């Protein structure tokens, strides 16, 4: 009997992120407390650019974006928000998006699987993802439950379960 396996990845649904940015932009344009403060949010290459006339307003726009991302099922672990920086008359805030599992994070996840998971489960690092395999499907489901219970630095998805 062949081994069963699944992949652990950290990917973003770009369309959902784009929808969240557009919804946040509409809300910022229509909300009364954002009138006359030059508040805005838009894509800037691979990151999201937020601007407002004060640091507090820029953080408020970021909160609106976070709210929209959560409603669309995007983990807040997948965004990397910096601090608002003054740029002329406005404060700008750049929000980066994190995809893929870094090598050190993958090693940490592999160690958790080896130490706390059932015997006979193997984890291999393949680029920016992990492949977990075992002879028993029940062991794989146990690994998924174990990792969902851990507070890791990255947003994880479990794909290619077979």
């Amino acid at each position: 009997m062949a081994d069963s396996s699944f992949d652990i990845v950290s990917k973003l649904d770009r369309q959902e992120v784009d929808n969240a940015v557009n919804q946040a932009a509409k809300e910022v344009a229509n909300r009364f407390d954002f009138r006359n403060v030059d508040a805005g949010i838009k894509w800037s290459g691979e990151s999201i650019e937020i601007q407002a006339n004060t640091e507090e307003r820029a953080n408020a726009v970021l909160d609106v974006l976070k709210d929209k991302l959560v409603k669309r099922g995007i983990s807040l672990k997948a965004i990397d928000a910096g601090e608002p920086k003054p740029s002329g008359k406005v404060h700008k805030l750049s929000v980066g998006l994190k995809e893929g599992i870094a090598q050190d994070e993958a090693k940490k996840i592999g160690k958790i699987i080896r130490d706390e998971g059932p015997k006979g489960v193997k984890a291999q690092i393949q680029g920016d993802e992990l492949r977990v395999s075992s002879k028993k499907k029940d062991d794989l489901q146990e690994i998924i439950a174990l990792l969902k219970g851990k507070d890791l630095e990255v947003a994880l998805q479990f794909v290619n379960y077979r």
Side-chain angles (χ1 to χ4, degrees), residues 115-159:
D115 294 348
E116 301 176 29
K119 297 278 185 256
V121 176
K122 297 184 277 300
Q124 294 176 302
I125 299 173
Q126 296 179 333
D128 61 351
E129 61 184 47
L130 267 87
R131 165 133 325 143
V132 180
S133 58
S134 172
K135 293 204 182 304
K136 297 183 201 159
K137 286 191 175 190
D138 291 346
D139 289 349
L140 295 179
Q141 290 174 340
E142 214 173 298
I143 294 295
I144 291 174
L146 171 73
L147 292 175
K148 282 184 178 177
K150 296 287 180 188
D151 186 29
L152 300 168
E153 299 292 317
V154 292
L156 299 178
Q157 292 88 34
F158 307 100
V159 296

Side-chain angles (χ1 to χ4, degrees), residues 5-67:
S5 68
F6 68 91
D7 295 335
I8 303 173
V9 297
S10 180
K11 294 200 184 323
L12 283 174
D13 184 349
R14 292 282 178 175
Q15 187 61 51
E16 289 296 335
V17 175
D18 190 41
N19 290 342
V21 169
N22 290 337
Q23 283 183 335
K26 280 184 186 174
E27 184 170 326
V28 167
N30 292 331
R31 265 181 42 180
F32 178 75
D33 56 337
F34 287 121
R35 295 246 165 88
N36 302 323
V37 293
D38 295 330
I41 181 170
K42 65 180 188 285
W43 279 101
S44 172
E46 283 295 304
S47 63
I48 301 166
E49 196 70 38
I50 294 174
Q51 73 175 28
N53 64 354
T54 65
E55 194 172 324
E56 292 79 28
R57 287 284 170 225
N59 284 326
V61 175
L62 177 63
D63 289 342
V64 170
L65 175 64
K66 285 180 178 179
D67 183 47

